Amino acid sequence: MTIATSGPRPAGQRVSDPVTMFGPDFPFGYDEWLRHPAGLGVMPPARHGTPVAIVGGGMAGLVAAYELMRLGLRPVVFEAEQLGGRMRSTTFEGHPGAVAELGAMRFPPSATALFHYLDLVGLSTAPFPNPLAAATQATLIDLNGRGHWARGTDDLPGVFQEVGDAWAKVLEENAAFSTMEDAIRRRDVTTIKTIWNRLVLELDDQSFYGFLAASPPFASFRHREIFGQVGFGTGGWDTDFPNSMLEILRVVYTGADDRHVRILGGSQQLPLRLWEHIPDRVAHWPGGTSLAALHPDGPRPAVTRVGRVDGGIQITTAAGTQTFPAVVLTPQVRLLLTRVDCAESLFPTEVWTAIERTHYMGASKVFALTDRPFWQTVNPATGRPLMGMTLTDRTPRGVYLFDDGPQAPGVMCLSYTWNDDSLKVVGLPPDERLDIMLRSLGRVYPGLDIRARIIADPVAVTWESEPNFMGAFKANLPGHYRYQRRLFGHFMQDALPEHQRGVFLAGDDISWTGGFAEGAVTTGLNAVWGVLNHLGGHTPGSNPGPGDAFPAIAPHELPYV
Ligand SMILES: Cc1cc2nc3c(=O)[nH]c(=O)nc-3n(C[C@H](O)[C@H](O)[C@H](O)COP(=O)(O)OP(=O)(O)OC[C@H]3O[C@@H](n4cnc5c(N)ncnc54)[C@H](O)[C@@H]3O)c2cc1C
């Protein structure tokens, strides 16, 4: 593979190339790196079997562990809670077959590195029932006390079309949308960089709301309000209004909020299957080796301290200490300031500043199990289903409906909220949250007795109050670009002093795309490259990795003045 750094790739390029999460900050083809027959890299045989600590068994940690195992190293995974992290699926008491997705639940096909692993472990997907999506029987948009039923966007009143047109116009005029989307399809790094470097300079200081309010097509407050509620893709983006506009552009350019699918059997299947997966090709280890086989007693317990001693990086748990030549750290970095006592000398001061500044979204969800998907029944009086996927400006915000056929129990995500909406219920037990959501939905669907259909105790989560997470996912505020660049680029360590090398940050909050598992996977892969380089290995000449490409395509550097 060659990394396209100069202009469009004429050879073999198809106009129908899909939009992928290729850039815009670091336009590296992780999918191409992963599928190249030469593999990700080669370790010197003397290094085979070297232990590498992987702190955290979520997607970033398990991808890093899996690939380092394939390179012949010995990943040692530490996990404070359960494998999977924020890919957490749970069931209802007494109903082991019905899944509630407490964390990640919908995945865009543009997340091609994530889909590499989905395909590898043989998981199937189905369209996700997002608002107004083809897989959604009906959507109810409840705004300012008025409900609007729709099957697709065309069924909505004219003002919604006006808002959609305004968004398209703003993206085109202020963010060169179609040129950028086309460049991402063609993996035209020069065009991506030309557009994005300008926008980073112009918009790092701008919030999503500020960007809209300053745009003539959104001069009307009502348009901004409707947009915040319905917006694009999954809707309900008004809780992102304070975030940097760059965060929003990353999502829309790369199709990250589009054509979502869910993982049949639950999102957590992916990390759990990766743990068990036996690779076809693996250096050093005998056939049949998997992460599970390398950890016969399961992952090691929670890490309480990370420090440096002569000979390496020392990891401490309640069970003792062990020294490693390299460590991959994947818990949200907020935990390095709180629950993990991390030696200050391990990172440069400017990286610590970035860790301190990292901003997280909060998120809560409330789930209920019903005897069957009763909402599909058509009300003869209205000709509409009893309930639809619901976007509302009331407390529940987003209601998602899942079914496994007309006779099986139905799973209702009665509420999915972010930030202030999530904080409204923080600290309340699941039963009380259920009461609150049903009371509110009773006003949206008068006369519909949802409670009568519920057959199990509710399930609920608030990620900002989970001690091993302390936030749902990273979301940069205006002015945070420089901090994000420091965290993302930290895997490039050749210029660091010796005592600051060997610890690699990875995960959702290190990536440019917080809230999307693709960023956890790709930063896990950056850490693989970092460990390979640190321990004297190299990538095949025909398949350069993210660190090889970094000097040519590094994220744009803003002046620090
Ligand atoms: C509510 C919610 C909805 C989301 N929706 C989507 C979605 O629809 N689509 C999508 O693509 N992405 C979504 N995401 C984002 C996605 O879940 C994450 O990007 C991804 O799962 C993060 O993986 P990670 O490995 O970076 O971190 P994590 O999954 O957080 O893994 C880190 C692991 O470290 C462990 N840990 C913490 N402290 C320690 C310690 N001291 N010692 C050892 N282990 C420790 C944790 O228990 C955890 O298992 C969502 C996330 C949330 C919270």
Side-chain angles (χ1 to χ4, degrees):
M1 184 200 77
T2 51
I3 298 158
T5 52
S6 56
R9 291 187 300 171
Q13 196 71 61
R14 292 166 296 134
V15 273
S16 59
D17 282 342
V19 174
T20 60
M21 291 177 80
F22 181 80
D25 297 273
F26 185 66
F28 176 75
Y30 291 93
D31 47 5
E32 294 174 66
W33 194 44
L34 282 167
R35 64 172 177 255
H36 195 286
L40 301 189
V42 183
M43 285 305 303
R47 281 292 199 182
H48 282 161
T50 301
V52 177
I54 311 289
V55 184
M59 277 315 295
L62 292 183
V63 162
Y66 179 83
E67 297 299 350
L68 291 173
M69 171 181 76
R70 291 183 66 217
L71 294 173
L73 298 170
R74 182 186 197 98
V76 179
V77 176
F78 296 79
E79 172 50 55
E81 208 168 323
Q82 50 177 302
L83 289 174
R86 282 168 279 164
M87 301 278 278
R88 189 193 291 179
S89 315
T90 192
T91 55
F92 297 84
E93 205 173 331
H95 299 272
V99 171
E101 299 286 18
L102 298 185
M105 63 179 183
R106 47 191 166 189
F107 305 95
S110 62
T112 45
L114 179 80
F115 273 74
H116 169 87
Y117 291 101
L118 274 171
D119 292 343
L120 181 76
V121 301
L123 280 165
S124 304
T125 60
F128 186 89
N130 266 327
L132 307 168
T136 305
Q137 185 189 15
T139 301
L140 178 67
I141 294 169
D142 168 63
L143 187 55
N144 289 326
R146 276 198 63 203
H148 306 278
W149 281 93
R151 182 79 181 76
T153 327
D154 293 347
D155 303 330
L156 289 169
V159 66
F160 287 85
Q161 312 291 342
E162 284 169 28
V163 168
D165 292 347
W167 179 233
K169 194 167 160 46
V170 163
L171 282 181
E172 202 51 49
E173 289 178 358
N174 298 1
F177 180 78
S178 40
T179 311
M180 179 63 114
E181 194 194 58
D182 178 60
I184 288 175
R185 283 182 194 278
R186 292 183 295 105
R187 303 205 164 188
D188 169 1
V189 173
T190 303
T191 303
I192 293 171
K193 287 264 171 208
T194 304
I195 297 171
W196 189 242
N197 293 358
R198 173 177 61 80
L199 290 175
V200 164
L201 188 65
E202 283 174 15
L203 294 178
D204 177 43
D205 298 326
Q206 182 65 287
S207 70
F208 183 15
Y209 190 78
F211 177 86
L212 288 181
S215 308
F218 279 101
S220 138
F221 176 79
R222 186 154 175 252
H223 281 50
R224 297 199 291 276
E225 186 181 53
I226 292 176
F227 181 75
Q229 183 64 23
V230 186
F232 55 92
T234 54
W237 278 85
D238 53 358
T239 37
D240 273 67
F241 273 167
N243 296 336
S244 163
M245 185 58 203
L246 296 176
E247 295 285 75
I248 306 305
L249 290 178
R250 290 182 180 105
V251 172
V252 291
Y253 284 147
T254 61
D257 217 39
D258 215 12
R259 297 167 53 229
H260 284 159
V261 296
R262 65 192 173 103
I263 298 175
L264 296 178
S267 305
Q268 199 168 354
Q269 294 299 304
L270 175 56
L272 293 180
R273 286 202 189 183
L274 204 51
W275 180 254
E276 302 283 345
H277 192 259
I278 298 170
D280 285 343
R281 278 174 51 190
V282 59
H284 171 66
W285 299 107
T289 302
S290 63
L291 293 173
L294 292 179
H295 297 77
D297 300 323
R300 306 273 179 93
V303 170
T304 53
R305 188 167 193 287
V306 185
R308 183 173 286 278
V309 290
D310 279 349
I313 298 130
Q314 195 178 55
I315 295 288
T316 304
T317 70
T321 59
Q322 191 179 345
T323 301
F324 295 87
V327 172
V328 179
L329 280 181
T330 72
Q332 310 227 55
V333 289
R334 182 169 280 179
L335 289 150
L336 303 182
L337 305 169
T338 52
R339 304 199 89 199
V340 181
D341 175 10
C342 190
E344 200 154 288
S345 59
L346 286 173
F347 301 113
T349 311
E350 56 270 24
V351 169
W352 277 117
T353 308
I355 290 173
E356 291 275 5
R357 297 272 73 75
T358 299
H359 174 70
Y360 295 91
M361 299 279 278
S364 293
K365 291 185 181 182
V366 181
F367 283 89
L369 188 70
T370 60
D371 54 351
R372 60 183 187 81
F374 71 91
W375 53 82
Q376 292 170 347
T377 307
V378 173
N379 178 347
T382 62
R384 284 194 293 258
L386 290 177
M387 254 188 103
M389 185 285 145
T390 310
L391 281 181
T392 172
D393 52 6
R394 302 173 205 250
T395 315
R397 297 305 311 264
V399 179
Y400 298 86
L401 306 170
F402 305 93
D403 74 277
D404 282 326
Q407 300 312 325
V411 173
M412 304 179 84
C413 176
L414 282 172
S415 171
Y416 179 19
T417 55
W418 296 331
N419 284 8
D420 286 359
D421 292 317
S422 171
L423 288 175
K424 287 173 190 163
V425 294
V426 71
L428 301 182
D431 281 343
E432 197 175 340
R433 296 186 191 201
L434 177 70
D435 292 346
I436 291 166
M437 300 313 161
L438 291 183
R439 192 167 69 223
S440 189
L441 288 172
R443 292 168 188 145
V444 182
Y445 294 100
L448 180 63
D449 189 355
I450 300 174
R451 189 186 295 276
R453 316 309 296 254
I454 294 177
I455 57 169
D457 289 340
V459 171
V461 68
T462 292
W463 286 93
E464 52 273 40
S465 63
E466 290 282 304
N468 293 312
F469 299 87
M470 295 192 171
F473 36 78
K474 185 274 310 283
N476 284 321
L477 295 173
H480 277 194
Y481 177 86
R482 292 168 182 82
Y483 301 136
Q484 189 63 54
R485 189 182 189 280
R486 288 178 206 168
L487 294 178
F488 180 83
H490 177 254
F491 76 104
M492 298 299 293
Q493 301 193 346
D494 287 353
L496 291 179
E498 188 70 33
H499 70 277
Q500 287 179 335
R501 295 187 203 165
V503 179
F504 297 91
L505 297 170
D508 184 275
D509 54 357
I510 302 307
S511 82
W512 292 103
T513 48
F516 292 94
E518 179 78 352
V521 171
T522 51
T523 52
L525 292 169
N526 287 351
V528 169
W529 186 92
V531 172
L532 180 75
N533 185 54
H534 180 68
L535 296 182
H538 61 87
T539 50
S542 57
N543 192 25
D548 306 308
F550 198 88
I553 62 169
H556 185 52
E557 190 161 11
L558 287 179
Y560 188 72
V561 283

